[in-house]
Amino acid sequence: MSLKSATTILALLAGLFMSTWTLALEKEPFTKERFDKLQEQGSTILVDVSATWCPTCQRQHEILDKYREENPNSGITMLTVDFDNQKEWVKHFKAPRQSTLILYKGTNQVWFSVAETRQEKIFEALDNVKVEEG
């Protein structure tokens, strides 16, 4: 194999790794339009009410990132409600504080949690609703 071929392969692998890593960390900002559309489709939605300054939220995000890395085809869409700037949605979801996680299957709320940072509990809730693509 030539040096050019090896360099090309390494660059492609690095790009693939980086795009997977970036995807695993991306969170979609909450919008009513997106939420409504996902509910109409019967999708599984995790609403994450969080704040950038919240250490509990940061721990939850580490757990959620790990879950997404281990379950890339879970079919779960995560919508993040900004606790500081989207107060109307904080109230709508009855989130008593930041670090609130709410799981929906279509229009049905199936899990509600505040300040949960036990990986096994979060994974269990997500495993109960994920839809593996095949």
Side-chain angles (χ1 to χ4, degrees), residues 46-49 60-61 64 78 99-103 111-116 122:
L46 177 63
V47 175
D48 167 36
V49 179
Q60 288 175 330
H61 292 165
L64 293 168
M78 183 173 158
S99 75
T100 300
L101 300 172
I102 310 157
L103 194 57
W111 187 63
F112 185 96
S113 174
V114 179
E116 180 62 72
I122 294 172

Side-chain angles (χ1 to χ4, degrees), residues 115-134:
E116 180 62 72
T117 58
R118 293 174 291 177
Q119 177 176 304
E120 64 276 7
K121 292 295 183 183
I122 294 172
F123 275 32
E124 178 183 351
L126 298 175
D127 282 343
N128 285 336
V129 295
K130 73 180 177 183
V131 178
E132 292 289 345
E133 296 174 6

Side-chain angles (χ1 to χ4, degrees), residues 28 34-35 37-47 67 73-79 102-108 110-111 125-132:
E28 208 175 316
R34 180 71 169 136
F35 182 67
K37 182 177 181 181
L38 289 167
Q39 283 196 312
E40 285 174 19
Q41 295 171 343
S43 299
T44 303
I45 311 156
L46 177 63
V47 175
Y67 185 85
N73 297 319
S74 69
I76 300 170
T77 302
M78 183 173 158
L79 300 177
I102 310 157
L103 194 57
Y104 288 87
K105 187 73 172 179
T107 57
N108 297 321
V110 295
W111 187 63
L126 298 175
D127 282 343
N128 285 336
V129 295
K130 73 180 177 183
V131 178
E132 292 289 345

Side-chain angles (χ1 to χ4, degrees), residues 44-116:
T44 303
I45 311 156
L46 177 63
V47 175
D48 167 36
V49 179
S50 65
T52 56
W53 48 264
C54 168
T56 302
C57 301
Q58 291 170 3
R59 177 65 185 130
Q60 288 175 330
H61 292 165
E62 291 169 7
I63 293 167
L64 293 168
D65 289 342
K66 183 174 181 182
Y67 185 85
R68 282 186 296 243
E69 288 171 9
E70 293 178 9
N71 300 275
N73 297 319
S74 69
I76 300 170
T77 302
M78 183 173 158
L79 300 177
T80 302
V81 173
D82 184 314
F83 180 79
D84 295 316
N85 298 312
Q86 292 183 298
K87 290 296 187 184
E88 70 277 16
W89 293 109
V90 172
K91 289 177 186 173
H92 172 81
F93 289 112
K94 298 180 173 89
R97 57 178 274 200
Q98 73 284 351
S99 75
T100 300
L101 300 172
I102 310 157
L103 194 57
Y104 288 87
K105 187 73 172 179
T107 57
N108 297 321
Q109 182 180 309
V110 295
W111 187 63
F112 185 96
S113 174
V114 179
E116 180 62 72

